[in-house]
Amino acid sequence: MTSLIDIKKASKIIKSGGNTFKLLDTIDLQVEEGEFISLMGPSGSGKSTLLNCIGMLDGFTSGAYHFLNESVVKMREKNRVKLYKEYIGFVFQAYHLIDELTVEENIETPLLYKKVKSSERKALVADMLDRFNIVGKKNLFPEQLSGGQQQLVGVARALIGSPKLILADEPTGNLNSNQSKEIMALFAQLNKEGVTIIQATHSEENASYGSRIVNLLDGKIVKS
Ligand code: ADP
Ligand code: MG
């Protein structure tokens, strides 16, 4: 087993209007490659903040964070962005697809940022459309899709760059139960193929697809 994530005594404190908010409080979390973790806890407990810090979209204000044995805290911004692009895919509750782009173009976007060349991009996107059974939808725009289909596109986009880690923030929060099951089954399959997954969820049923539950309360990990 390889250590993917090693977080030690990490906190996130925000100062606003003379007040101090401790959004994350001395978090210790180790994640091995191949795990499927569910972050649970009430609204406001810090799940999104922790996912964003793990995903390098946000940063801890103190403590240590190593990703694949490299110190994320000490890294230059440029290298952090490189690490993010190479290893991490994000899935959001509200999909965050680009309305003006087709399904095909949405899935392709991470490859543009990675400067993959056109012929290779086309092949990778075609594979993904095929795998997710959405070839017939490739020229449609997000608003022409159901929520479940939009989230499939969201997952396809997260996966297109072959990330080691998928971070999913309440990925089924806007979906009905059949659509949720489809997304969770997909995550279980990806995890079987070796992708590490960390999802924030309120749902015990969603959590049951994972291999470990981490409970948060008031920015702290509580022992279960
Ligand atoms: P969760 O995803 O578990 O619902 P969040 O990580 O979104 O929790 O938020 C944790 C807490 O931090 C909440 O109380 C939220 O209101 C607060 N919070 C989040 N971002 C900020 C911010 N930029 N400034 C002040 N408080 C914030
Ligand atoms: Mg949240």
Side-chain angles (χ1 to χ4, degrees), residues 90-107:
F90 245 100
V91 178
F92 302 93
Q93 176 173 357
Y95 327 124
H96 288 202
L97 301 177
I98 300 171
D99 294 337
E100 294 76 21
L101 299 183
T102 63
V103 164
E104 192 174 32
E105 291 163 344
N106 265 286
I107 296 172

Side-chain angles (χ1 to χ4, degrees), residues 47-48 169-170:
K47 301 182 296 294
S48 296
D169 196 354
E170 306 201 29

Side-chain angles (χ1 to χ4, degrees), residues 19-222:
N19 293 313
T20 302
F21 301 95
K22 208 164 210 181
L23 306 194
L24 295 173
D25 190 356
T26 49
I27 298 286
D28 281 310
L29 180 64
Q30 281 73 45
V31 181
E32 306 290 326
E33 269 187 45
E35 286 201 271
F36 183 171
I37 292 177
S38 301
L39 278 181
M40 299 191 81
S43 266
S45 57
K47 301 182 296 294
S48 296
T49 307
L50 180 55
L51 277 182
N52 289 340
C53 288
I54 292 172
M56 305 173 200
L57 302 179
D58 197 351
F60 299 111
T61 49
S62 64
Y65 174 20
H66 288 80
F67 187 91
L68 286 172
N69 298 319
E70 285 200 75
S71 174
V72 175
V73 181
K74 291 185 181 140
M75 201 175 290
R76 287 159 176 241
E77 174 72 14
K78 200 179 101 190
N79 293 337
R80 202 159 34 229
V81 170
K82 212 167 124 196
L83 204 64
Y84 170 86
K85 283 187 197 162
E86 184 164 0
Y87 293 115
I88 297 176
F90 245 100
V91 178
F92 302 93
Q93 176 173 357
Y95 327 124
H96 288 202
L97 301 177
I98 300 171
D99 294 337
E100 294 76 21
L101 299 183
T102 63
V103 164
E104 192 174 32
E105 291 163 344
N106 265 286
I107 296 172
E108 186 184 24
T109 45
L111 299 179
L112 296 170
Y113 296 126
K114 284 177 93 169
K115 301 196 169 70
V116 176
K117 66 176 204 281
S118 171
S119 57
E120 195 181 336
R121 291 202 306 269
K122 291 282 170 282
L124 287 168
V125 172
D127 283 350
M128 207 51 88
L129 290 166
D130 211 24
R131 162 162 200 182
F132 286 17
N133 274 318
I134 47 176
V135 177
K137 310 239 181 288
K138 68 178 182 179
N139 294 319
L140 298 183
F141 292 90
E143 62 173 19
Q144 296 172 292
L145 303 176
S146 71
Q149 289 165 343
Q150 289 188 56
Q151 194 57 299
L152 276 181
V153 175
V155 177
R157 179 184 57 184
L159 273 180
I160 190 88
S162 308
K164 271 185 191 291
L165 174 66
I166 292 271
L167 297 170
D169 196 354
E170 306 201 29
T172 69
N174 290 342
L175 303 183
N176 68 34
S177 68
N178 282 331
Q179 294 168 333
S180 298
K181 284 197 176 84
E182 192 181 355
I183 295 294
M184 283 303 115
L186 179 58
F187 278 9
Q189 178 59 33
L190 295 173
N191 180 241
K192 234 163 98 184
E193 293 168 14
V195 181
T196 307
I197 299 175
I198 307 178
Q199 66 169 352
T201 183
H202 281 292
S203 152
E204 294 283 351
E205 192 182 335
N206 284 5
S208 73
Y209 286 82
S211 47
R212 174 153 73 105
I213 293 175
V214 171
N215 285 296
L216 275 176
L217 185 65
D218 298 334
K220 276 187 207 259
I221 291 180
V222 288

